Amino acid sequence: MKNLINWLRTTRLGYLCLLLILIWLKTLFAYYVDFTLGATGALQQIILFINPLGISAALLSLTLYIRSPRRAYLTAGVIYLLLTVLLLVNVLYYREFTDFMTVGTVMSVKNVSSGLGGSFVNMIIWRDAIYFIDLALALIAVLGYGAWNLWRFIHHQPARWPHFGLTLDAKPLGYHVPQAVTAVSVAVFAVTMAVSELNRPQLLTRTFDRNYIVKYLGLAPFTVYDAFQTAQNNQVRASADGADMDQVLAYTKAHYAAPDPTRFGTAKGKNVIIIHLESFQQFLIGAKIDGQEVTPFLNSLIKDQNTLSFDNFYHQVGLGKTSDAENMLETSTFGLSTGSLFSSLGSDNTFQGAPALLEQYAGYTSAVFHGGEGTFWNRTNTYKSLGYDYFFDGSFYAHDSGTTTEYGIKDKLMFAETSKYLEHLQQPFYAKIITTTNHYPFFITNTDTDFPDAGTDDAYINGYFRTAHYLDAALKEFFAYLKRSGLYDHSLIMMYGDHYGISNDRNQTLASVLNQSVSDPTGDTGSDWTSFDDANLQRVPLIFHAPGLKGGIDHTYGGEIDVLPTLMHLLGVDTRQFVQFGTDLLSPAHNAVVAFRNHNFVTPQYTVLGSTVYRNSTGEVVTPDAALKKKLAAAQQSVDDRLTLSDTLATKNLLRFYVPSGFTPVDPTKADFTNSLKLMLQAEAQHGAQSTSLYSRNQDETAIGHYVTDAPEVAKDRSVITQYPSAVADQATPVIPRPDGKQLIKSQ
Ligand code: GP9
Ligand code: MN
């Protein structure tokens, strides 16, 4: 034993072994504690156990070729540091996204701005010390030595270097030792690859999901593989031509679902107000904490006879989360299998999005409102590509201290401030309002809500119900305003939850609150919790409300991909020639197989997760007979076809080869979002007596006086919602003369 410790301490190979053992242990800790890799059977367990070894050893062995001992030791330390950072970043990322960090995500981080950084720090919990305690101690030692050396320098004493109990091994290694070590490491890695290929054929060519690749090959090979894929993607685009588009068109034409004629056009000509309910899951509807309804307003709205809502509606986002939801809602094409489509393709791809389609086929003006950083998820660029006329980002909102939470302006203020812009939009308008308060870390003060704490030992779950309650209260105020101002009579309001707020690793704690949740037929908690229960919780609300709309709770199975055709048909816009992968939820021909981004799926009867089939009504695992197998294979095919074709469309940027008849492709360079207010007011002025904005219809009177909110910031100073923030106020002045010379736009 003593000899072994000495060997580890005093030889180069020993030092490398030490680092290898440490990174191996850390990785195994992550595999078993932080990641859910789903290794089943002895073979998979063995692969999982040894897969961190080969690649780490191969990388560390490279330092054996460095002759200078100090440089070799330092390089090995740096490699160890990088492997640790890769691991830790993935642990944190996984905690939020239940997936691994991809090169695409890293590359788009500059677009995603600083928001994720803030969340990342919030993600760290005590046990993460395992990953960096050694590095932290080393850093402290280095700093300590630095200070000591300064003292020694002043006192004319020679410097001393930290040695961490190691002795630098100055002996150069024989010529063959480095080669032998590298060869053995590579061989270990090759064996893991070969065994993986046997156990899971076509692992890399089919890329089932990231979990699989990490489970079989490890984190570092996954990252390298992913980088390679990204580079390849860039090439793919260059190789595309019009013939690829024909294949997509053949599919979407063949799978077009004609609208139910009794529903088609029933909301024709109405304004569309889309409210993006951040991180809002279906289980919130009807849920109670301490006997109090979490969402009393939405609960009553759903019962209203003018409300059409769906209770088997799933989010289908991938890693792009909010941006994936937005992309599906506005294009009826899927997000990417990796990263965010908005971030990676939003600036350059050709889109045929809802704002442009509704403008060109139904005369809508479009605007999108988000009270945070405009660059987040590359929104500013992507919204231009989608054809939005105006984007009111955080710079158009009062961002005084106390008015914001992490991702943007607080929801109550968001709706109130949005209203003073909304009233200048030409009608009919298509307006999307993105809420943010109900976002991880779900923080809200007692001044903003008095809703009770759910009392679990998970602060995020407790906060989630409180922020959701706050959002519900904000919606109530906004609806009241819409009614008082008169906008309500001419509007179709659509609300949807973009994705989960509570990630899968928290669901068991959540289950104790939901107990026999309506959205989980099994009522599982604790040890009988399964992936089926997780899948059930991926339901999010989809709600349409308009005076005169035929309401009811619709149990049709569907997902975010299906919203655009549903909405367009309600508005009376024919979708036959558009490239859409979803189908109208109200159509008799609707495809009720709901595809998750990882190719798992849900049908009205079954939930298929990998190779496991669950019966929806009972949650039990079923072994399909021949007939069911055939049915499920067809469903899987439909899922794969849609996802694959949608991916081809996006990665090859195929829409540049297709222009629907009567459509003019969007020119994103024409938009000037920093001047959104100015341009909107100019348009209002230029329309003169023909202007259809609420403000013009009210004889140039603002309706913002109708806005009632109990937000404490407004109680203190109402100008928070009635005045333009100083950064954009000059866009409303000087007063713009109307062409008929009759009246002037008044600034508020
Ligand atoms: C806030 C949003 C946050 O609107 O951008 O994005 P998410 O983390 O939910 O994807
Ligand atoms: Mn979101």
Side-chain angles (χ1 to χ4, degrees):
M1 187 64 192
K2 219 164 158 196
N3 280 348
L4 178 68
I5 293 177
N6 251 342
W7 180 76
L8 290 173
R9 253 176 18 84
T10 56
T11 66
R12 279 212 207 184
L13 274 178
Y15 169 62
L16 291 189
C17 272
L18 199 66
L19 295 183
L20 182 63
I21 292 168
L22 286 175
I23 193 71
W24 188 25
L25 290 176
K26 285 182 185 182
T27 311
L28 289 179
F29 183 81
Y31 280 2
Y32 289 104
V33 179
D34 281 303
F35 304 147
T36 316
L37 294 173
T40 46
L43 188 61
Q44 286 193 16
Q45 291 290 356
I46 293 171
I47 296 176
L48 194 65
F49 191 71
I50 58 168
N51 83 21
L53 274 181
I55 185 74
S56 313
L59 288 172
L60 287 169
S61 77
L62 296 180
T63 63
L64 292 173
Y65 300 88
I66 302 173
R67 293 196 75 82
S68 143
R70 185 159 287 153
R71 223 174 276 159
Y73 272 64
L74 198 66
T75 313
V78 170
I79 292 176
Y80 175 76
L81 173 75
L82 292 177
L83 288 173
T84 305
V85 169
L86 181 69
L87 186 65
L88 180 62
V89 165
N90 273 287
V91 164
L92 300 181
Y93 192 80
Y94 196 93
R95 205 163 282 157
E96 169 70 356
F97 294 98
T98 326
D99 210 330
F100 297 96
M101 185 116 165
T102 64
V103 174
T105 319
V106 178
M107 288 196 338
S108 56
V109 156
K110 59 180 194 310
N111 295 329
V112 177
S113 93
S114 55
L116 273 179
S119 273
F120 256 43
V121 177
N122 282 328
M123 297 280 178
I124 295 188
I125 54 179
W126 276 111
R127 68 158 190 265
D128 296 339
I130 296 262
Y131 298 111
F132 54 75
I133 189 92
D134 52 350
L135 293 167
L137 290 176
L139 184 70
I140 290 170
V142 168
L143 292 177
Y145 265 86
W148 188 40
N149 277 331
L150 194 66
W151 184 89
R152 292 177 67 87
F153 178 75
I154 293 167
H155 292 83
H156 307 287
Q157 292 180 13
R160 294 269 174 83
W161 299 104
H163 50 75
F164 311 109
L166 302 169
T167 312
L168 278 201
D169 177 5
K171 243 191 301 138
L173 283 163
Y175 198 62
H176 298 297
V177 179
Q179 287 174 352
V181 175
T182 309
V184 170
S185 319
V186 172
V188 172
F189 181 61
V191 170
T192 7
M193 272 201 87
V195 179
S196 302
E197 190 62 27
L198 284 177
N199 191 258
R200 177 75 271 185
Q202 294 181 296
L203 175 68
L204 290 183
T205 42
R206 285 178 64 190
T207 319
F208 299 92
D209 70 2
R210 280 172 278 277
N211 257 343
Y212 272 56
I213 302 184
V214 174
K215 178 168 77 178
Y216 285 108
L217 303 185
L219 204 49
F222 158 72
T223 309
V224 172
Y225 163 80
D226 178 63
F228 177 75
Q229 287 263 306
T230 308
Q232 212 179 25
N233 255 354
N234 293 341
Q235 267 185 0
V236 164
R237 240 172 117 123
S239 71
D241 65 32
D244 296 307
M245 188 62 210
D246 295 341
Q247 211 195 341
V248 175
L249 282 174
Y251 181 88
T252 53
K253 285 228 157 69
H255 293 82
Y256 162 75
D260 173 349
T262 67
R263 300 288 201 138
F264 188 78
T266 47
K268 195 179 175 119
K270 283 192 186 284
N271 298 319
V272 178
I273 301 176
I274 297 181
I275 305 176
H276 176 108
L277 305 175
E278 179 57 44
S279 303
F280 202 97
Q281 287 170 259
Q282 177 71 16
F283 68 74
L284 290 165
I285 305 285
K288 287 184 181 171
I289 301 291
D290 281 1
Q292 286 190 47
E293 289 176 83
V294 181
T295 59
F297 173 70
L298 285 176
N299 296 349
S300 70
L301 187 77
I302 282 172
K303 291 193 197 112
D304 188 305
Q305 57 173 357
N306 298 314
T307 302
L308 168 67
S309 70
F310 293 84
D311 60 359
N312 285 312
F313 178 79
Y314 291 77
H315 82 75
Q316 298 169 290
V317 306
L319 296 178
K321 296 195 82 182
T322 295
S323 63
D324 279 0
E326 291 187 59
N327 175 62
M328 280 184 276
L329 266 288
E330 295 192 310
T331 67
S332 191
T333 67
F334 290 96
L336 298 176
S337 65
T338 172
S340 152
L341 187 146
F342 264 36
S343 298
S344 53
L345 303 173
S347 311
D348 316 314
N349 260 20
T350 300
F351 288 79
Q352 286 155 15
L357 295 176
L358 288 176
E359 173 176 13
Q360 298 194 30
Y361 294 97
Y364 279 75
T365 310
S366 57
V368 51
F369 303 87
H370 183 268
E373 204 62 62
T375 50
F376 198 90
W377 287 131
N378 196 27
R379 281 191 172 100
T380 307
N381 292 317
T382 314
Y383 289 159
K384 288 179 184 172
S385 306
L386 286 169
Y388 269 109
D389 294 322
Y390 313 110
F391 174 23
F392 296 90
D393 69 2
S395 59
F396 291 87
Y397 293 84
H399 269 251
D400 308 334
S401 65
T403 59
T404 59
T405 51
E406 191 159 334
Y407 286 87
I409 190 100
K410 287 184 202 165
D411 293 342
K412 281 187 181 173
L413 301 170
M414 174 71 197
F415 284 116
E417 287 196 56
T418 298
S419 302
K420 71 170 178 263
Y421 295 113
L422 211 54
E423 66 179 1
H424 291 289
L425 266 183
Q426 296 300 304
Q427 303 183 75
F429 57 70
Y430 171 90
K432 177 163 80 169
I433 304 170
I434 300 170
T435 66
T436 55
T437 309
N438 189 45
H439 189 289
Y440 186 94
F442 312 115
F443 177 73
I444 190 148
T445 63
N446 290 334
T447 335
D448 285 312
T449 187
D450 56 3
F451 196 71
D453 186 289
T456 73
D457 52 16
D458 187 322
Y460 301 108
I461 293 180
N462 299 344
Y464 185 61
F465 290 101
R466 280 161 54 82
T467 48
H469 179 79
Y470 172 84
L471 168 54
D472 183 74
L475 292 171
K476 184 178 176 182
E477 293 179 353
F478 183 57
F479 265 70
Y481 164 78
L482 291 177
K483 286 191 175 162
R484 279 193 217 105
S485 68
L487 275 176
Y488 174 84
D489 301 326
H490 312 289
S491 301
L492 167 70
I493 300 141
M494 184 184 103
M495 285 176 271
Y496 73 97
D498 60 344
H499 50 72
Y500 65 89
I502 304 299
S503 49
N504 283 348
D505 60 339
R506 300 180 192 278
N507 277 349
Q508 294 199 40
T509 314
L510 175 68
S512 65
V513 185
L514 299 181
N515 206 358
Q516 304 276 327
S517 159
V518 277
S519 53
D520 173 13
T522 65
D524 284 350
T525 56
S527 59
D528 48 3
W529 191 264
T530 65
S531 303
F532 170 72
D533 298 303
D534 287 332
N536 269 323
L537 289 184
Q538 306 314 309
R539 287 181 174 87
V540 291
L542 175 66
I543 302 167
F544 293 91
H545 177 89
L549 191 75
K550 189 173 156 214
I553 299 177
D554 190 316
H555 308 306
T556 302
Y557 277 72
E560 287 164 331
I561 200 79
D562 302 314
V563 173
L564 188 58
T566 312
L567 174 69
M568 288 193 139
H569 287 168
L570 285 172
L571 298 176
V573 179
D574 186 354
T575 63
R576 195 184 311 256
Q577 57 159 345
F578 303 147
V579 178
Q580 300 182 337
F581 290 99
T583 51
D584 180 351
L585 292 160
L586 298 167
S587 161
H590 166 66
N591 181 354
V593 177
V594 187
F596 291 140
R597 184 51 262 196
N598 60 5
H599 291 251
N600 287 341
F601 63 93
V602 178
T603 76
Q605 287 85 33
Y606 300 97
T607 296
V608 180
L609 306 176
S611 51
T612 315
V613 181
Y614 298 88
R615 192 187 309 284
N616 290 349
S617 54
T618 59
E620 65 188 332
V621 175
V622 289
T623 316
D625 58 15
L628 181 57
K629 253 195 194 136
K630 208 168 143 206
K631 213 173 114 184
L632 294 177
Q636 182 74 65
Q637 193 61 51
S638 147
V639 167
D640 295 349
D641 284 350
R642 280 179 282 164
L643 286 166
T644 314
L645 283 173
S646 178
D647 288 348
T648 313
L649 182 86
T651 53
K652 292 191 173 179
N653 188 18
L654 294 181
L655 280 178
R656 67 194 145 130
F657 299 120
Y658 173 68
V659 182
S661 88
F663 186 75
T664 310
V666 174
D667 178 2
T669 60
K670 285 220 301 251
D672 173 12
F673 289 157
T674 47
N675 283 313
S676 284
L677 176 59
K678 183 172 166 188
L679 294 170
M680 179 174 69
L681 294 178
Q682 264 172 12
E684 189 176 54
Q686 273 153 15
H687 280 102
Q690 268 73 51
S691 167
T692 55
S693 69
L694 179 73
Y695 181 82
S696 302
R697 291 265 160 93
N698 286 345
Q699 277 71 49
D700 291 7
E701 279 301 331
T702 176
I704 197 71
H706 289 305
Y707 210 103
V708 180
T709 167
D710 64 7
E713 295 82 0
V714 179
K716 232 183 285 153
D717 175 9
R718 203 174 153 78
S719 73
V720 174
I721 62 165
T722 55
Q723 274 175 12
Y724 298 120
S726 54
V728 297
D730 62 333
Q731 294 190 27
T733 49
V735 178
I736 306 154
R738 278 166 55 152
D740 55 14
K742 266 203 302 315
Q743 287 194 38
L744 303 173
I745 296 276
K746 285 177 277 183
S747 74
Q748 287 157 354

